[in-house]
Amino acid sequence: LRHYKELGGVAALEKRDLEKAAKLYDAIDGSRIFVGTVTDVADRSIMNVCFVMRPEYKELEKSFVDFAATKGIVGIKGHRSVGGFRASLYNALPMESVDVLINAMDEFQAKH
């Protein structure tokens, strides 16, 4: 808690978390192969960003999980009953990690 207080407290953490989520949602919303599972912006989580492949790219889900792993991204696979992907943006996750995921998504999309 002292560490979080040094970072500016709850308000600063919330601001940073909102920025991380907005950046990732912008990348998903602008993608031609990925789509968010929650379309109403007001209902989107800033902690767990869930997304899937558009139906015409669904068969590439496993390929993306494998590709992401080559970039050091682990635990991206969504729940077994839902599929897709889940990016957890907990407080300790830096913006740089969000950038790594977005870059991987962009690179994967460019190849497909």
Side-chain angles (χ1 to χ4, degrees):
L1 291 175
R2 279 189 285 263
H3 174 68
Y4 288 151
K5 191 173 181 180
E6 290 169 5
L7 293 175
V10 173
L13 290 172
E14 181 184 31
K15 180 179 183 288
R16 198 176 82 172
D17 290 345
L18 288 167
E19 290 169 353
K20 290 186 297 188
K23 190 170 192 177
L24 182 53
Y25 282 119
D26 285 347
I28 294 165
D29 291 342
S31 173
R32 68 174 168 77
I33 67 173
F34 298 104
V35 63
T37 58
V38 179
T39 54
D40 187 347
V41 175
D43 293 333
R44 289 177 168 179
S45 172
I46 65 168
M47 185 171 293
N48 289 300
V49 177
C50 297
F51 57 106
V52 296
M53 294 278 191
R54 293 186 185 278
E56 61 269 29
Y57 296 99
K58 182 98 172 127
E59 74 280 354
L60 295 175
E61 281 189 2
K62 183 179 180 335
S63 295
F64 179 68
V65 170
D66 295 341
F67 177 77
T70 69
K71 302 295 184 182
I73 302 166
V74 295
I76 192 80
K77 188 175 178 183
H79 191 274
R80 68 182 176 274
S81 68
V82 178
F85 316 100
R86 181 183 69 213
S88 296
L89 307 181
Y90 301 120
N91 289 334
L93 186 84
M95 182 66 83
E96 293 80 14
S97 294
V98 175
D99 293 335
V100 167
L101 175 56
I102 292 170
N103 290 337
M105 292 166 65
D106 289 345
E107 186 177 339
F108 187 83
Q109 180 173 265
K111 291 180 180 182
H112 296 91

